[in-house]
């Protein structure tokens, strides 16, 4: 619980990614609003990006999704249909 949680993803776009539009949105499941983090490229690993969710207290469930746009402005989210569907994990 004392360390941030790394989220890493491989992201590609046929037309090329807009590097200013790569985000991780996260929240505690008991709170309504998402916080936004910029996904940063990982040096030496093409098409791989990461962000760090701040450390949280034990017993908290965190939810998140990824958002990316290509150079033409087409947006994709993961998981499909986010923020209706979300990735989640429980801090022990």
């Amino acid at each position: 619980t004392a360390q941030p949680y790394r989220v890493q993803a491989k992201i590609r776009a046929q037309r090329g990614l807009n590097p200013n539009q790569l985000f991780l949105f996260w929240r505690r499941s008991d709170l309504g609003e998402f916080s936004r983090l910029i996904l940063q490229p990982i040096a030496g690993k093409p098409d791989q990006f990461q962000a760090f969710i701040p450390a949280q207290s034990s017993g908290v469930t965190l939810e998140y999704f990824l958002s990316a746009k290509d150079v033409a402005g087409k947006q994709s989210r993961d998981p499909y249909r986010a923020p209706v569907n979300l990735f989640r994990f429980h801090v022990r």
Side-chain angles (χ1 to χ4, degrees):
T1 58
Q3 300 294 317
Y5 311 102
R6 181 172 65 156
V7 177
Q8 186 174 334
K10 187 172 208 171
I11 305 171
R12 292 187 239 173
Q14 193 172 37
R15 297 181 194 130
L17 291 171
N18 179 337
N20 298 317
Q21 295 294 317
L22 304 174
F23 301 109
L24 180 146
F25 291 89
W26 73 277
R27 70 179 179 194
R28 289 176 35 161
S29 64
D30 58 337
L31 302 176
E33 298 229 3
F34 285 95
S35 295
R36 183 177 79 175
L37 299 171
I38 297 170
L39 287 163
Q40 300 288 338
I42 299 173
K45 295 187 176 185
D47 304 324
Q48 293 197 33
F49 301 86
Q50 67 184 0
F52 293 87
I53 297 172
Q56 302 290 314
S57 302
S58 181
V60 170
T61 298
L62 297 175
E63 301 174 325
Y64 69 96
F65 69 94
L66 307 174
S67 174
K69 286 187 182 178
D70 68 12
V71 293
K74 182 178 178 184
Q75 184 180 49
S76 292
R77 291 182 175 176
D78 191 28
Y80 177 70
R81 294 193 56 206
V84 173
N85 297 326
L86 297 168
F87 295 116
R88 63 180 42 92
F89 64 93
H90 188 75
V91 178
R92 294 180 184 241

